[in-house]
């Protein structure tokens, strides 16, 4: 966006909000003169150790330090170069390979598809990886994957699994927090960054509307109830996935020849196959987050669809993601939505939407009316008129455009 000014290598050193506004001090990390900036709004997207969150005195809620054999405790991460790994691997190289044995629990992900990999191993009780050498990295890899490869260590570090934390508040005054600054996951399910991006999308369009005078400042008050609800939901899902894989006990007999080993391997296979589907086949988690209790969603009294990790139930019940549909010309209905607001006018007798257009103009809302006559779209959305927000969430649906002004005002944070 031409309006953005991105300063890589600059650090926020301090900020404060007073009655005269926000003042922040920024300085290049490489040194140099500090600059003072006076933003109207300020967003701390500054990661798990967020100085913005701490400066605002916002506490974490939830659990941390959860201990499991895997994905609960300190993890040792090695970024390695091993051109011979693919040939040495007795199994198909996956998007992710997971090693399960009594000696070492670990996972491996190809980075460049040729020779670079990310290897993450769970530490065992009493181990301290901070002083581990490259030789230790190769030893730990051999424990997990059964072969000592003479790979090159590009970097090694540790990180902590076992967080399930959500900030008590997502900001104060004109300051907001987003991403890992506001919620911290165990990475099972791969939800941390996904949830962070959704925070940015949610806050982004709201800030733009308020700054450009196209919404009431109250619109920003909906950021916390909407995103905190999803952060609590998603960290709970991630914790459930971490329990499913991390509390599984890898018995020594897994590597034993004979019937005892066969039985242990069959039991592990059944559990881990079911687990892989539970953790990674999650359209319900990805598409099913909802903002039912948001002050800027206009409910229609219908029941929300079930919230299930592995099953996504498309629904235009206000507060959730607009359902996808293919159009006769092969496009997705999403490709015809406006960048900002969309009013779907559906059905054989396409309803009159002029009241929405007029109210949208009056409120300076960028609204595009998109008309489709296919009955199946009306059935899918269960209403002839559907208002979709810039973040593709259904804000309202109904039969008549008569309420247009009240609906648009409510969806943009205006008091009744
Ligand atoms: C092993 C592992 C696997 C993961 N896998 C996945 C996955 O598959 N999918 C997924 O969605 N998520 C995954 N995650 C989580 C994901 O990495 C994080 O959720 C994501 O990086 C959070 O993004 P963020 O921008 O909020 O914070 P960060 O990525 O931490 O970025 C914060 C930035 O703010 C900068 N910063 C901090 N303080 C200041 C300051 N004072 N001034 C200026 N800049 C500052 C930092 O330098 C940093 O660049 C995984 C995490 C781990 C550990």
């Amino acid at each position: 966006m031409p309006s953005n000014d991105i300063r890589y290598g600059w650090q926020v050193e301090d900020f404060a909000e007073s009655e005269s506004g926000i003042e922040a001090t920024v300085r290049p990390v490489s040194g140099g003169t500090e600059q003072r900036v006076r933003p109207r709004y300020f967003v701390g997207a500054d990661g798990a150790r967020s100085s913005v969150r701490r400066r605002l005195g916002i506490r974490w809620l939830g659990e941390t330090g959860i201990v499991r054999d895997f994905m609960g405790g300190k993890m040792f991460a090695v970024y390695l170069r091993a051109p011979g790994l693919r040939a040495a691997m007795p199994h198909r190289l996956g998007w992710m390979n997971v090693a399960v044995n009594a000696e070492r629990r670990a996972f491996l992900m190809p980075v460049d598809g040729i020779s670079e990999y990310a290897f993450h191993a769970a530490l065992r009780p009493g181990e301290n990886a901070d002083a581990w050498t490259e030789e230790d990295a190769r030893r730990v890899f051999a424990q997990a994957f059964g072969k000592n490869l003479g790979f090159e260590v590009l970097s090694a570090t540790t990180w902590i699994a076992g967080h399930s934390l959500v900030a008590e508040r997502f900001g104060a005054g004109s300051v907001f927090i987003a991403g890992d600054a506001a919620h911290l996951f165990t990475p099972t399910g791969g939800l941390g960054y996904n949830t962070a991006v959704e925070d940015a999308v949610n806050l982004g369009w709201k800030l733009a509307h308020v700054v450009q005078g196209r919404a009431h400042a109250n619109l920003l008050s909906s950021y916390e109830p909407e995103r905190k609800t999803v952060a609590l939901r998603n960290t709970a899902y991630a914790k459930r996935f971490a329990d499913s894989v991390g509390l599984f006990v890898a018995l020594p007999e897994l590597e034993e020849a004979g019937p005892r080993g066969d039985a242990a391997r069959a039991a592990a296979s059944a559990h881990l196959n079911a687990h892989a589907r539970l953790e990674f086949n999650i359209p319900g988690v990805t598409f099913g987050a909802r903002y039912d209790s948001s002050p800027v969603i206009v409910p229609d009294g219908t029941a929300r669809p079930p919230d299930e990790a592995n099953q996504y139930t498309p629904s235009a019940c206000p507060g959730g993601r607009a359902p996808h549909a293919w159009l006769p010309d092969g496009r997705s209905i999403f490709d015809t939505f406006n960048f900002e607001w969309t009013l779907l006018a559906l059905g054989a007798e396409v309803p009159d939407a002029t009241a929405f257009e007029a109210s949208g103009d009056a409120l300076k809302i960028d609204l595009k009316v998109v008309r489709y006559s296919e009955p199946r779209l009306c059935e899918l959305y269960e209403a002839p008129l559907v208002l979709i927000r810039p973040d593709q969430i259904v804000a309202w649906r109904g039969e008549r455009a008569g309420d247009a002004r009240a609906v648009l005002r409510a969806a943009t944070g205006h008091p009744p």
Side-chain angles (χ1 to χ4, degrees), residues 14-369:
D14 199 11
F15 75 93
E17 182 169 20
S18 65
E19 275 176 14
S20 58
I22 301 168
E23 186 167 277
T25 313
V26 297
R27 191 193 300 271
V29 178
S30 56
T33 321
E34 65 169 38
Q35 268 187 26
R36 284 171 188 273
V37 287
R38 296 182 58 81
R40 201 163 137 199
Y41 295 97
F42 185 81
V43 184
D46 51 347
R49 295 191 178 88
S50 171
S51 57
V52 177
R53 186 190 65 245
R54 279 180 285 156
R55 184 89 163 80
L56 295 175
I58 299 176
R59 291 183 307 151
W60 282 127
L61 301 177
E63 284 178 88
T64 188
I66 303 169
V67 178
R68 308 180 184 94
D69 283 357
F70 182 58
M71 289 293 183
K74 213 168 209 182
M75 301 282 292
F76 179 55
V78 187
Y79 179 30
L80 58 94
R81 182 176 293 130
L85 193 148
R86 188 184 279 265
M89 170 88 83
H91 309 291
R92 231 168 7 123
L93 189 64
W95 161 78
M96 177 193 279
N97 286 76
V98 183
V100 184
N101 66 54
E103 206 176 6
R104 188 66 67 187
R105 302 284 296 272
F107 66 95
L108 177 82
M109 298 176 83
V111 174
D112 66 352
I114 305 164
S115 62
E116 292 180 12
Y117 299 86
F119 169 70
H120 299 255
L123 295 194
R124 299 182 56 83
E127 284 182 330
N128 176 8
D130 294 334
W132 278 0
T133 61
E134 293 200 5
E135 212 35 63
D136 286 312
R138 288 188 273 270
R139 173 179 59 81
V140 169
F141 183 91
Q143 289 171 339
F145 282 89
K147 279 200 174 80
N148 202 338
L149 299 178
F151 56 74
E152 181 187 348
V153 174
L154 299 171
S155 70
T157 188
T158 57
W159 57 276
I160 311 271
H163 301 299
S164 187
L165 295 171
V166 175
E168 191 178 18
R169 288 173 292 133
F170 276 33
S174 303
V175 181
F176 300 90
I177 54 172
D180 274 18
H183 36 70
L184 200 52
F185 289 72
T186 295
T188 33
L191 302 179
Y193 196 58
N194 284 291
T195 309
V197 169
E198 281 183 1
D199 291 344
V201 171
N202 188 291
L203 188 54
W205 74 261
K206 291 175 181 173
L207 280 172
H209 273 62
V210 172
V211 168
Q212 292 164 358
R214 294 185 287 128
H216 192 279
N218 262 349
L219 179 63
L220 295 169
S221 312
S222 65
Y223 169 66
E224 178 176 306
E226 292 192 351
R227 294 310 301 162
K228 190 175 167 187
T229 305
V230 174
L232 289 167
R233 165 193 188 261
N234 289 3
T235 48
Y237 272 130
K239 180 168 178 265
R240 184 175 150 208
F241 303 149
D243 284 344
S244 161
V245 69
L247 298 179
F248 174 79
V249 178
L251 300 167
E253 346 13 328
L254 274 174
E255 298 195 321
E256 198 177 284
R260 228 164 58 120
D262 290 342
R265 282 186 291 277
S269 174
H271 178 84
L272 295 167
N273 266 316
H275 166 76
R277 283 157 183 76
L278 172 74
E279 181 184 345
F280 295 109
N281 182 11
I282 50 171
V285 177
T286 308
F287 300 127
R290 297 188 53 84
Y291 303 141
D292 293 292
S293 55
S294 168
V296 293
I297 295 293
V298 186
D300 67 353
T302 56
R304 54 178 285 167
D307 186 4
E308 297 162 303
N310 307 114
Q311 181 71 41
Y312 164 58
T313 308
S315 164
C317 172
R321 174 188 160 92
H324 155 80
W326 293 116
L327 300 173
D329 65 6
R331 284 182 302 168
S332 163
I333 195 167
F334 273 72
D335 293 338
T336 67
F337 290 172
N338 193 22
F339 183 69
E340 296 208 337
W341 296 82
T342 305
L343 183 79
L344 288 178
L346 306 171
E349 285 172 30
V350 180
D352 177 19
T354 42
F356 270 94
E357 289 170 314
S359 299
D361 284 347
L363 291 165
K364 298 194 211 128
I365 292 172
D366 176 3
L367 177 89
K368 176 179 150 192
V369 180

